[in-house]
Amino acid sequence: MSAINGVNFLSLKTWWPPHLVAQKHPSVTLSRKLATFLVALQLVRTFNRYISQKKQNNWVRARPWAASKELVLITGGSSGIGKQIVLDLAKLEVKTIIFDVQEPDFPLPPNVFFYNVDITSPIAIHEAATRAHHEHGDPTVLINNAGVGYMGTIIDEPESNIRRTIEVNTLSHFWLVKEFLPAMIKNDHGHIITIASMASFAGLGGMADYASSKAAVLSFHESLTQEIRHSYASNRVRTSIIHPMWVQTPLINDLLISCAQTRNAMLSAKDVSSAVLEQLVRGNGGQIVLPWWLGVASILRGLPIWLQEMVRDRYSRRIT
């Protein structure tokens, strides 16, 4: 058969590149070139991933993860993502302390301890940290997970909501790190993990305070990493930041109800917890985007302005 759907394949030489027409099997040549390109691309990606990981870890290995010797302190561990992280740590028999103003909505495992703490208050954090130190020792892992979020335009949203979002999502990180980082530096061992958001990279309509707080958290993570490396020369203290897309938690229930498209693209708390535990167990610092294929979002601000605005427009329309 010389023609399929009206295409005459006997006249290939009229549209096929001349240097391939002379070859007996041009498709084989193209396949080989494509395979070579894909292999080269994969090698570049692998090399880039290797160098990035080594640099983020200061070119030194962390001390081996020993579940029985680690002490994790997590904020906002009473529900949502924090609850899942606590339960997963408990399965690994890791001793865990929760700082939260909300009582846990689940029975605490034997190796999990709850402290009622207002993490927006430096005084409250210091008092709880002193008590935790006497009762359990110094945390080797700090997970800044607590977060709040409210939907509303800049004009309509109450001042109280805006202040609380910034205090919980951003300022609390300063007070907690000031309290627990010194012991990590002294022992040259520890890991500080921040739960951020894809909103770190893009501000959308209806969530100006939330996006601002997460962009600030990303800057905080970057500065903290530099200070640990250069101001304190503590090369085995790791810093990680996790940027999930929408996660199905009580925090975004209102958004789930109003936007079916968002609901269809939802991650689970388990997805985020798995990423956190992988960083801890492997002793790796760095930035993690969930799902992984959205990692390209980190280059958003490097795109032409018109393209940036098209991306923001698309996602703002989904939630406003």
Side-chain angles (χ1 to χ4, degrees):
M1 182 179 291
S2 61
I4 299 177
N5 294 333
V7 178
N8 186 355
F9 287 93
L10 295 180
S11 59
L12 280 173
K13 62 183 180 180
T14 64
W15 55 276
W16 200 262
H19 67 285
L20 293 180
V21 172
Q23 299 179 19
K24 187 174 182 179
H25 300 291
S27 60
V28 173
T29 301
L30 283 179
S31 297
R32 288 174 178 171
K33 289 185 176 181
L34 178 60
T36 301
F37 171 77
L38 293 176
V39 169
L41 180 62
Q42 183 59 35
L43 288 174
V44 170
R45 291 183 64 226
T46 300
F47 178 74
N48 177 67
R49 194 160 50 236
Y50 173 80
I51 294 296
S52 295
Q53 185 181 95
K54 288 295 184 181
K55 178 57 180 174
Q56 290 170 130
N57 293 327
N58 302 311
W59 302 93
V60 296
R61 289 181 178 273
R63 296 178 187 174
W65 169 263
S68 61
K69 297 180 180 179
E70 306 293 340
L71 176 60
V72 175
L73 189 146
I74 181 171
T75 64
S78 294
S79 64
I81 294 172
K83 171 184 175 180
Q84 186 64 57
I85 294 173
V86 168
L87 293 176
D88 289 344
L89 286 169
K91 291 177 182 177
L92 297 178
E93 300 183 349
V94 179
K95 192 174 184 180
T96 304
I97 297 171
I98 298 172
F99 275 14
D100 206 329
V101 292
Q102 175 185 331
E103 294 285 335
D105 63 1
F106 58 99
L108 292 182
N111 56 346
V112 177
F113 303 88
F114 172 74
Y115 289 70
N116 192 308
V117 185
D118 176 7
I119 62 169
T120 66
S121 166
I123 296 175
I125 288 176
H126 178 71
E127 291 175 349
T130 301
R131 179 183 161 201
H133 170 78
H134 289 306
E135 296 177 352
H136 305 287
D138 292 317
T140 58
V141 176
L142 170 62
I143 303 177
N144 287 312
N145 165 75
V148 297
Y150 306 95
M151 294 299 297
T153 64
I154 296 171
I155 294 176
D156 294 336
E157 194 166 3
E159 177 187 343
S160 58
N161 287 0
I162 296 172
R163 287 187 178 276
R164 180 160 177 76
T165 300
I166 300 300
E167 289 174 349
V168 173
N169 295 2
T170 306
L171 287 180
S172 66
H173 293 45
F174 283 86
W175 317 141
L176 288 155
V177 166
K178 284 171 73 69
E179 197 67 48
F180 297 112
L181 178 61
M184 296 183 187
I185 292 172
K186 179 181 178 181
N187 299 319
D188 198 21
H189 174 68
H191 203 142
I192 298 174
I193 295 184
T194 301
I195 307 299
S197 167
M198 292 298 292
S200 300
F201 306 117
L204 305 180
M207 52 189 297
D209 55 344
Y210 183 80
S212 297
S213 71
K214 293 304 182 179
V217 160
L218 175 56
S219 293
F220 176 83
H221 160 80
E222 293 171 345
S223 295
L224 174 64
T225 302
Q226 293 296 311
E227 289 186 6
I228 291 173
R229 180 181 298 152
H230 299 293
S231 299
Y232 305 109
S234 190
N235 291 330
R236 286 184 170 83
V237 174
R238 305 297 193 225
T239 57
S240 295
I241 186 166
I242 314 295
H243 299 284
M245 195 58 171
W246 306 115
V247 183
Q248 191 165 5
T249 66
L251 180 65
I252 60 170
N253 277 342
D254 292 341
L255 184 61
L256 287 175
I257 293 172
S258 63
C259 184
Q261 288 180 318
T262 298
R263 184 167 60 250
N264 294 335
M266 197 66 54
L267 294 169
S268 69
K270 184 69 175 178
D271 295 325
V272 183
S273 179
S274 296
V276 169
L277 264 63
E278 183 174 355
Q279 292 295 100
L280 288 177
V281 173
R282 294 189 175 184
N284 288 330
Q287 294 197 42
I288 305 296
V289 172
L290 300 174
W292 66 267
W293 50 267
L294 279 177
V296 68
S298 62
I299 67 170
L300 176 64
R301 295 186 184 279
L303 298 176
I305 296 298
W306 63 269
L307 191 52
Q308 290 185 39
E309 289 302 299
M310 286 181 64
V311 173
R312 295 188 187 100
D313 287 345
R314 177 183 179 184
Y315 286 96
S316 290
R317 279 194 291 266
R318 291 185 177 185
I319 62 175
T320 56

